[in-house]
Amino acid sequence: MFDYLIVGAGFAGAVCAERLAARGKSVVLCDRRPHVAGNAYDHYDDAGILVHQYGPHIFHTDGRRIFDYLSRFTAWRPYEHHVLAHVDGQRLPFPINIDTVNRLYGLSLDENSIGQFFAEHAENIGHPKTSEDAVVGKIGRDLYEKFFRNYTKKQWGLDPSELDASVAARVPARMNHDDRYFTDQFQVMPARGYTRMFENMLDHPNIWLVLGVDGETLRRDVRHRQMIYTGPIDDFFEHRFGPLPYRSLEFRFETHDMSKFQPGAVVNYPNEQAYTRCTEFKYLTGQRHPKTTVVYEYPQAEGDPYYPVPRPRNAELYRKYKALADATPNVHFVGRLATYRYYNMDQVVAQALGLVAQLEGIDAQAA
Ligand code: FAD
Ligand code: UDP
């Protein structure tokens, strides 16, 4: 009899497995994929280049506790992420900053005048409800049309006016020359990759890892006291209230016989192409190699569930599943898919650590 069956070996499942095993619990951890690390999985491709199979993953956090916890399983490589957006024939710094505006419109604004520029162009929205409101209310309609509208339509299959403000609000507008994508205190990449970090995390005698097997099979066949589930919550309840929408992606990888393909880690294509962005992995990983591999991301309605879609009607449907989850004894739901939240890796780690602390509290009360 195992203390825990954990379904899904991404950040949510692996962090729970590691913490519970370290506290003496026996854990069976499974994933239907043939590998650990969930969507953060990386591996060496045929050319010998370290690539992220499910799209570029850049680690950033303001949480020292999260950073310290993961540091037990990996050394880090300092890495600050930079993105260019291909707009009106130029590759411009993104998020939008003073240089983006100056190069786009041929201006010479500085830190004293950029605020005025945004204020003159911003529309009076009040409290932003949608992603359109969030951008237009901050920097105005022209920048919205050029950088946000079409990218968002491609990425989500929805107009920004149909998505929660929180989606576009992930990207700030800068009143300075800072061209980093993130401003978090800790911006690093696992020195030997995410998969290696997960392998270290899960290397524990109390963890029995089963790959390439669906959780439902183990749920039937393996005796366990409690279950932690990190897959899509609507799957768990056999879509009783109808399917929750997720956005998917198709990844097209290309290896080029040159050491460098594009001028930065990521180039976004808001307007022209069917893909949203092109990522060149060597910038992220620091790998030296005579060849280089890039990936193009093509958003899809069908396929592996990657993104919960933040909009009011989906939140309402999720609440129904959440009520069922709350009423299901001995099963705990955690992670991006099981709690239907557009979470970054560090947020999922925090959520998983929080769940384990809660479970310990329950154990302590029972003792
Ligand atoms: P997942 O990583 O999705 O893991 C869930 C696992 O459960 C999967 O491996 C799945 O196979 C398995 N599973 C599901 N159902 C079952 C079942 N029934 N039986 C067995 N196994 C099952 N975050 C960042 O912080 N920085 C980034 O740069 C970043 N970039 C991203 C880019 C893309 C394209 C995507 C899609 C996400 C990105 N993220 C990024 C978010 C990050 O991937 C997630 O926060 C994180 O992976 C969530 O971990 P998780 O364990 O909740 O889910
Ligand atoms: N976005 C956009 N144009 C861009 C980049 C992002 O309109 O060039 C919008 C889009 O809706 C996207 C959201 O901002 O989904 C959040 O972007 P982020 O880079 O945080 O998304 P991620 O790739 O991390 O999910």
Side-chain angles (χ1 to χ4, degrees):
M1 168 84 93
F2 283 90
D3 292 318
Y4 283 90
L5 164 62
I6 303 182
V7 177
F11 270 99
V15 169
C16 289
E18 189 283 325
R19 283 293 74 206
L20 290 165
R23 282 162 172 70
K25 304 288 184 194
S26 56
V27 174
V28 54
L29 171 66
C30 76
D31 204 297
R32 53 160 73 121
R33 290 170 169 163
H35 58 71
V36 295
N39 286 340
Y41 173 68
D42 53 15
H43 69 107
Y44 287 88
D45 68 8
D46 291 345
I49 293 160
L50 184 60
V51 299
H52 298 180
Q53 171 129 354
Y54 306 99
H57 278 67
I58 295 105
F59 187 79
H60 56 102
T61 189
D62 272 326
R64 172 169 286 284
R65 190 174 66 103
I66 308 302
F67 174 72
D68 286 346
Y69 169 68
L70 293 176
S71 302
R72 298 181 200 176
F73 313 107
T74 185
W76 300 103
R77 159 177 193 265
Y79 172 71
E80 288 186 338
H81 191 50
H82 296 267
V83 174
L84 297 168
H86 188 265
V87 170
D88 289 355
Q90 298 193 69
R91 289 184 181 126
L92 299 168
F94 190 81
I96 292 169
N97 67 13
I98 295 175
D99 300 305
T100 316
V101 174
N102 284 344
R103 284 179 52 196
L104 185 67
Y105 298 119
L107 299 173
S108 42
L109 301 171
D110 59 20
E111 298 201 356
N112 299 314
S113 47
I114 184 77
Q116 169 91 12
F117 176 89
F118 285 149
E120 275 168 11
H121 290 80
E123 291 179 14
N124 194 357
I125 298 288
H127 180 69
K129 282 207 187 63
T130 70
S131 278
E132 177 179 333
D133 296 347
V135 180
V136 170
K138 208 158 49 179
I139 58 177
R141 199 155 287 276
D142 196 52
L143 289 169
Y144 164 74
E145 294 284 348
K146 285 181 169 18
F147 289 86
F148 285 89
R149 182 151 194 223
N150 295 328
Y151 187 105
T152 300
K153 281 168 87 167
K154 255 194 283 192
Q155 172 73 8
W156 298 95
L158 293 170
D159 191 81
S161 60
E162 299 172 285
L163 275 168
D164 283 2
S166 60
V167 176
R170 284 167 63 92
V171 184
R174 300 248 168 82
M175 310 263 201
N176 53 29
H177 297 276
D178 190 350
D179 66 346
R180 295 171 306 160
Y181 205 65
F182 307 111
T183 52
D184 303 57
Q185 188 183 353
F186 303 101
Q187 302 190 37
V188 286
M189 295 290 285
R192 302 181 70 188
Y194 288 100
T195 305
R196 183 62 73 96
M197 178 177 81
F198 273 73
E199 285 166 357
N200 292 337
M201 201 185 278
L202 299 174
D203 181 16
H204 193 288
N206 290 354
I207 300 176
W208 185 45
L209 184 61
V210 185
L211 295 174
V213 174
D214 197 279
E216 208 39 52
T217 310
L218 289 192
R219 196 177 174 197
R220 275 197 319 266
D221 297 349
V222 173
R223 277 163 40 85
H224 56 279
R225 290 191 176 85
Q226 310 242 6
M227 177 171 174
I228 294 176
Y229 179 79
T230 76
I233 187 168
D234 53 329
D235 264 12
F236 186 88
F237 293 108
E238 294 168 335
H239 309 108
R240 192 175 307 177
F241 304 122
L244 272 167
Y246 299 88
R247 194 70 175 155
S248 193
L249 292 169
E250 189 189 314
F251 301 101
R252 290 201 198 149
F253 291 83
E254 278 177 6
T255 299
H256 294 273
D257 208 354
M258 52 179 71
S259 69
K260 199 192 211 186
F261 178 75
Q262 64 183 26
V266 173
V267 180
N268 286 357
Y269 292 87
N271 303 311
E272 301 87 359
Q273 315 289 355
Y275 48 83
T276 49
R277 58 185 178 185
C278 176
T279 301
E280 185 165 0
F281 290 104
K282 282 165 62 186
Y283 285 97
L284 275 49
T285 59
Q287 188 180 0
R288 289 167 188 271
H289 197 289
K291 294 187 180 184
T292 191
T293 299
V294 298
V295 67
Y296 296 91
E297 292 171 52
Y298 292 80
Q300 309 283 322
E302 304 296 327
D304 275 2
Y306 291 127
Y307 294 91
V309 183
R311 61 191 305 215
R313 70 159 72 146
N314 300 346
E316 208 173 292
L317 183 54
Y318 166 67
R319 273 195 291 276
K320 289 189 179 178
Y321 282 111
K322 166 89 169 61
L324 274 187
D326 290 344
T328 307
N330 301 324
V331 185
H332 311 279
F333 295 78
V334 63
R336 203 185 227 213
L337 302 170
T339 60
Y340 204 66
R341 294 201 193 151
Y342 186 9
Y343 266 175
N344 292 328
M345 295 181 279
D346 64 322
Q347 295 171 299
V348 171
V349 173
Q351 198 190 32
L353 292 175
L355 171 64
V356 173
Q358 205 182 312
L359 294 171
E360 276 172 18
I362 296 169
D363 278 358
Q365 269 180 0

